[in-house]
Amino acid sequence: MTQASAYKEPHHVMLFFEEKEITNEQHTCIRERISYYENLKNMGKVLLSGNFWNQARNFIIVYVIVYVSSDTELEQIIDNDPAVRNNLFELVRAIPF
């Protein structure tokens, strides 16, 4: 995992996740992930999210911009992501701003 920052004050972080191969059985986990980030959005923690596809649409990068009070909160958000916990997505970059 790329270290986010040494920020101690509230800040934004853009997270980039790379999708690993997902089977049909794992779609429930993806729905849980969507719900997880919707809940965070309702709490004011997620500002924006979306997907980047390559031209052949066989490779996806998912991005999420979060607002956190500390790096500890950021780590908790990442660690509690259902797709990260189930090894379906991998955090490839975290850019604080």
Side-chain angles (χ1 to χ4, degrees), residues 1-5 15-17 71 74-79 84 90-94:
M1 180 175 103
T2 304
Q3 293 298 317
S5 70
L15 304 173
F16 294 90
F17 298 91
D71 284 347
L74 174 62
E75 290 172 9
Q76 290 171 345
I77 288 172
I78 295 166
D79 291 345
V84 171
E90 177 182 13
L91 179 67
V92 293
R93 186 98 193 235

Side-chain angles (χ1 to χ4, degrees), residues 49-62:
S49 63
N51 304 320
F52 294 117
W53 292 89
N54 70 344
Q55 194 170 20
R57 294 188 62 84
N58 58 2
F59 179 81
I60 185 172
I61 295 286
V62 176

Side-chain angles (χ1 to χ4, degrees), residues 3-51:
Q3 293 298 317
S5 70
Y7 287 92
K8 301 299 179 211
E9 299 296 319
H11 58 284
H12 295 90
V13 181
M14 188 167 193
L15 304 173
F16 294 90
F17 298 91
E18 184 175 287
E19 179 183 53
K20 297 183 177 186
E21 192 166 330
I22 297 178
T23 64
N24 287 333
E25 297 83 38
Q26 296 166 324
H27 284 288
T28 299
C29 180
I30 300 303
R31 286 191 294 274
E32 290 173 8
R33 182 178 202 269
I34 292 168
S35 177
Y36 173 70
Y37 282 106
E38 279 296 317
N39 288 337
L40 288 174
K41 186 175 185 177
N42 292 337
M43 294 169 37
K45 294 295 178 183
V46 171
L47 281 72
L48 186 65
S49 63
N51 304 320

